[in-house]
Amino acid sequence: MPFRRSAPVWPAVHSERRALIRDLETLTPELWAQPSLCPGWDIHDVVAHLVDSAKTTRLSFLRGLIAAKFDFDKQNANGIARARGATPEATLAEFRRIRDETKTPPAAPATRLVEAIVHGEDIRRPLGILHSYPGASVDAALRYQLKTGVSMGGGKERAAGFRLQASDTGLEHGSGPVVRGSSLVLLLAVSGRPVAEEEFSGAGAAMFVRKLEQGSS
């Protein structure tokens, strides 16, 4: 079931932040410089983005968007520059300090859970770090992405025309050729992250991956 209102979201977000901090504490400085799944961002950049996002309020988001002349990419870049410490240790220390914040930009609280999980995998997957996410948390993030357009950071268009089935949680969505995969893999796919075809099964798997590779438009 999806999260109701916003109350249960924050404990899940805080739990994921703490888990990611534990993983980050094991990294060498060289690993912080490795590319993440976000094009153009290294691991340090993603952590800085998470720090900046956790400190962003509705008002500061609007101010930042105006300063970036309504360019979301530039706004993100400005946030990373602002939050990225001189060393990985400095950025991680700030992440620890704000890990229990409940600030949010003008968006649904579920977006904080999407950020925590998807950006967590942006960091973990390239480094070969495995993490077990609660199924309810991943399903809640996936449901949000499936009802939200790509222009707003979701993945509705990427899923269109397919019947998505989460093999581990039982979540199902849409109609069309079946695409089966774990809830986490489906979340990453509709969020625009690269996922290998072998992580899916079902009659629509190959077509789904081709669509993802070609873009949602």
Side-chain angles (χ1 to χ4, degrees), residues 102-150:
T102 56
K103 296 183 175 69
T104 178
T111 60
R112 303 306 89 199
L113 192 56
V114 173
E115 285 249 317
I117 296 173
V118 174
H119 285 319
E121 288 300 288
D122 286 336
I123 291 169
R124 291 182 173 110
R125 282 203 156 209
L127 300 178
I129 298 173
L130 299 179
H131 175 64
S132 179
Y133 299 88
S137 296
V138 182
D139 273 2
L142 177 56
R143 289 182 189 277
Y144 180 83
Q145 292 297 77
L146 289 171
K147 70 178 183 181
T148 305
V150 171

Side-chain angles (χ1 to χ4, degrees), residues 31-53 72-81 84 115 119 122-123 126 193:
L31 291 178
W32 280 73
Q34 292 296 309
S36 74
L37 292 186
C38 293
W41 290 9
D42 63 18
I43 301 301
H44 198 166
D45 290 331
V46 179
V47 179
H49 172 73
L50 287 170
V51 171
D52 182 66
S53 178
F72 287 106
D73 290 337
K74 183 176 181 181
Q75 184 182 28
N76 279 333
N78 290 344
I80 288 172
R84 181 171 168 139
E115 285 249 317
H119 285 319
D122 286 336
I123 291 169
R193 298 317 192 260

Side-chain angles (χ1 to χ4, degrees), residues 161-166 172-181 186 200-208:
F162 297 95
R163 180 69 176 174
L164 303 187
Q165 296 181 342
E172 296 194 13
H173 173 86
S175 60
V178 170
V179 178
R180 190 176 298 106
L186 292 174
F200 300 108
S201 62
M207 289 184 290
F208 183 57

Side-chain angles (χ1 to χ4, degrees), residues 3-14 102 109-110:
F3 286 115
R4 294 183 179 180
R5 300 181 182 176
S6 62
V9 172
W10 289 114
V13 170
H14 295 157
T102 56

Side-chain angles (χ1 to χ4, degrees), residues 157-172:
E157 296 88 342
R158 296 186 182 105
F162 297 95
R163 180 69 176 174
L164 303 187
Q165 296 181 342
S167 56
D168 51 347
T169 66
L171 183 150
E172 296 194 13

